[in-house]
Amino acid sequence: MRSIEHFVGGHSVAGTSGRYGDVFNPSTGAVQAKVALASAQELDRAVENAAEAQRDWAKVNPQRRARVMFEFKRLLEANMDSLARLLSSEHGKVLSDARGDIQRGLEVIEFSCGIPHLLKGEHTQGAGPGIDTYSVRQPLGVVAGITPFNFPAMIPMWMFGPAIASGNAFILKPSERDPSVPVRLAELMLEAGLPEGVLNVVHGDKETVDAILRHPQIRAVSFVGSSDIAQAVYAEGARHGKRMQCMGGAKNHGIVLPDADLDQTVADVIGAAYGSAGERCMALPVVVPVGEKTADALREKLLVAIDALRIGASEDPQAQYGPVVTAAHKARIEDYIRIGVEEGAELVRDGRGFSLPGHEGGFFLGATLFDRVRPEMKTYREEIFGPVLQIVRADSFEQALELPSRHQYGNGVAIFTRNGDAAREFVDRVEVGMVGINVPIPVPVAYHSFGGWKRSGFGDLNQYGTDSVRFFTRTKVVTQRWPKGGAVTDQSFVLPTMR
């Protein structure tokens, strides 16, 4: 049985807690590896190692730190296929989707290559008589990231790329469900020239997370996961004086106006709802057609597309989506489907009972479609995180606009229309953090920032982009004067002003 250990100080370090978790192959259902789960004492040793490495790393000038990022980018591109296969084998997403996972993380590394410019402060000459004022951005020290199973390459790179480029050392606690790719990324960073100890991977569960949130030397924590846990992590970390950014769950809506190109809309919705088996915080699990005529036409086209979907093992190049990550998660999704039926929604396609020939033990679900879902239903209010699409019919533009605006989550939303005026009004009024216009998954490019509203995000600064540099640095403002002598007064007793 393969054992996945911690990566600390540039080396694989065997776990000493005696606790291990199972890592499955979702396509077969078999346990393929054991992953070490760290104790608080093991985390403490990793933090001490990181703190020592960070002192020298912070002294490296930004241009040299950027060169490490450039080389890491080259190594990612050279190892793309092997990384994608490793990712697919533990997560279950198909190879093309796994490459996309890596590519979106790589784009944040590209952004981080511009760190010499991003760290530049501000300067005012002559702010007062003989006085200049300037600001500098300095690293925090040791920072940490707690990442989810659904993007084991992209989200770690969202976090550690800007953090390390800014001069910090990083402790990564990836999901214990698919931990191999994060370890491989750390190995490639070392190969790219990153000093030992600047990037450490510590596997674990709640015990490890709690230790991260309470450790006095960890200055900031970035987290992505479900909203209930994000809120609890945010509160606990803040209670211990840490800078926190915590991204939570989602229930993204796709509003379909009567003038939308339905063929293009259906193609977009199918991919956004069922891609990666719906295990994306930016998936599109709710579609809101405006008017009964639009709803009926959309439903008809959706059924044709759903029936043509190809579900397969993660290594199948023809598959459009693969299994979900664990048997427990599959059971959770099936329970939501049961609840939807009990609530009175119309189950148009039922994905339960799907079995892939030759992979009968795999964690597969067929594509599920509900129609006539109502806002008061539990299955609408909560995040299902699986291949389940819900149709919520709206009578008007105003009613469609209210649905995502009033929902507890505010991560992403999309509107499908040819009407520029309607789209502009929608963008202006909808209470959601990321909006797509005829774009079903509006994840911003790497030089903007990712983050939702309401219970989809806790904290003032978002992931990647310039927000990430602000999050992983602190500003120091210097006011300086160089007196010529011979002009001593008693003005030092007065609060300085610029008069």
Side-chain angles (χ1 to χ4, degrees):
M1 179 66 65
R2 182 167 61 97
S3 180
I4 303 167
E5 306 294 351
H6 312 299
F7 188 84
V8 177
H11 307 280
S12 178
V13 176
T16 59
S17 70
R19 299 186 306 120
Y20 284 83
D22 291 335
V23 178
F24 293 91
N25 179 337
S27 291
T28 66
V31 175
Q32 60 169 307
K34 297 284 187 179
V35 59
L37 304 176
S39 64
Q41 291 75 24
E42 289 173 285
L43 173 73
D44 187 63
R45 288 192 289 272
V47 173
E48 290 295 335
N49 188 288
E52 183 177 352
Q54 192 271 334
R55 284 190 284 272
D56 290 333
W57 178 241
K59 296 174 186 176
V60 176
N61 70 59
Q63 190 168 354
R64 291 184 181 276
R65 296 201 298 260
R67 288 172 185 166
V68 173
M69 293 295 160
F70 275 111
E71 178 62 10
F72 180 56
K73 171 186 177 295
R74 186 192 70 79
L75 290 170
L76 283 173
E77 292 168 337
N79 289 273
M80 179 70 75
D81 287 345
S82 62
L83 284 167
R85 286 193 296 272
L86 183 60
L87 194 158
S88 291
S89 71
E90 291 183 355
H91 176 279
K93 65 176 67 178
V94 297
L95 286 170
S96 58
D97 196 22
R99 292 188 189 95
D101 185 333
I102 300 161
Q103 178 63 36
R104 288 307 296 254
L106 187 153
E107 289 165 9
V108 175
I109 299 302
E110 288 178 326
F111 170 80
S112 302
C113 290
I115 201 65
H117 174 73
L118 293 164
L119 286 179
K120 289 193 301 185
E122 300 172 321
H123 188 279
T124 298
Q125 184 174 352
I131 295 176
D132 302 330
T133 300
Y134 65 93
S135 65
V136 295
R137 288 198 169 274
Q138 296 182 333
L140 299 176
V142 179
V143 298
I146 301 167
T147 58
F149 75 85
N150 58 323
F151 285 99
M154 180 184 78
I155 295 179
M157 285 190 277
W158 280 10
M159 296 178 185
F160 74 65
I164 290 172
S166 297
N168 299 285
F170 199 90
I171 304 291
L172 173 62
K173 205 301 287 182
S175 171
E176 64 274 24
R177 298 178 187 176
D178 44 11
S180 291
V181 166
V183 173
R184 184 67 185 126
L185 294 176
E187 292 171 346
L188 291 175
M189 281 292 282
L190 196 69
E191 188 177 340
L194 189 70
E196 295 178 354
V198 175
L199 175 58
N200 303 280
V201 182
V202 179
H203 307 293
D205 50 10
K206 186 179 184 300
E207 180 179 338
T208 317
V209 170
D210 289 343
I212 288 171
L213 297 176
R214 296 166 186 167
H215 200 288
Q217 286 183 273
I218 295 177
R219 302 291 184 84
V221 178
S222 184
F223 172 92
V224 176
S226 67
S227 286
D228 288 345
I229 297 176
Q231 188 169 10
V233 165
Y234 178 81
E236 180 69 6
R239 189 171 73 86
H240 287 275
K242 303 187 188 307
R243 184 178 294 187
M244 301 294 296
Q245 61 173 188
C246 297
M247 303 297 146
K251 195 75 172 185
N252 306 320
H253 294 56
I255 312 303
V256 183
L257 298 189
D259 68 339
D261 180 334
L262 282 189
D263 290 332
Q264 183 64 58
T265 298
V266 167
D268 289 342
V269 169
I270 287 289
Y274 299 116
S276 198
E279 294 173 319
R280 295 170 176 159
C281 66
M282 286 297 283
L284 198 69
V286 177
V287 63
V288 185
V290 176
E292 289 296 318
K293 183 178 179 181
T294 305
D296 291 342
L298 179 68
R299 169 173 160 161
E300 182 179 345
K301 289 179 178 291
L302 283 172
L303 287 172
V304 173
I306 288 170
D307 291 342
L309 279 173
R310 181 179 174 90
I311 305 165
S314 58
E315 68 273 12
D316 181 355
Q318 303 302 315
Q320 292 168 296
Y321 79 82
V324 297
V325 68
T326 62
H329 189 53
K330 176 184 176 182
R332 177 180 177 275
I333 297 165
E334 290 174 331
D335 195 49
Y336 270 113
I337 296 171
R338 176 190 60 79
I339 292 169
V341 173
E342 292 175 355
E343 290 179 318
E346 181 186 353
L347 183 58
V348 185
R349 288 289 185 273
D350 187 352
R352 295 173 296 180
F354 178 88
S355 180
L356 185 69
H359 295 78
E360 287 79 8
F363 311 136
F364 292 94
L365 281 164
T368 295
L369 177 67
F370 279 105
D371 194 3
R372 304 188 186 280
V373 174
R374 300 186 304 277
E376 67 271 16
M377 292 179 175
K378 176 184 175 72
T379 53
Y380 170 79
R381 298 193 314 270
E382 299 183 2
E383 183 179 38
I384 298 175
F385 219 61
V388 179
L389 177 61
Q390 297 172 295
I391 300 175
V392 181
R393 298 182 178 224
D395 295 329
S396 65
F397 173 84
E398 288 294 329
Q399 185 182 7
L401 174 66
E402 286 180 359
L403 286 167
S405 295
R406 291 185 176 181
H407 203 281
Q408 65 168 325
Y409 298 123
N411 213 39
V413 69
I415 184 169
F416 300 93
T417 181
R418 292 187 178 95
N419 187 326
D421 184 59
R424 190 173 187 275
E425 182 178 359
F426 183 83
V427 168
D428 183 55
R429 293 174 56 194
V430 72
E431 295 183 24
V432 173
M434 292 172 283
V435 184
I437 302 172
N438 298 310
V439 175
I441 305 177
V443 177
V445 292
Y447 42 90
H448 286 264
S449 289
F450 176 103
W453 290 7
K454 297 175 284 190
R455 297 196 71 241
S456 292
F458 301 89
D460 297 325
L461 293 170
N462 289 331
Q463 299 274 349
Y464 66 78
T466 54
D467 265 13
S468 65
V469 178
R470 295 188 188 99
F471 181 75
F472 288 117
T473 60
R474 52 185 173 180
T475 303
K476 182 177 288 182
V477 182
V478 180
T479 302
Q480 67 179 10
R481 180 180 66 178
W482 300 102
K484 296 179 180 179
V488 178
T489 70
D490 63 356
Q491 292 300 307
S492 296
F493 290 91
V494 180
L495 184 69
T497 68
M498 294 297 106
R499 295 180 63 185

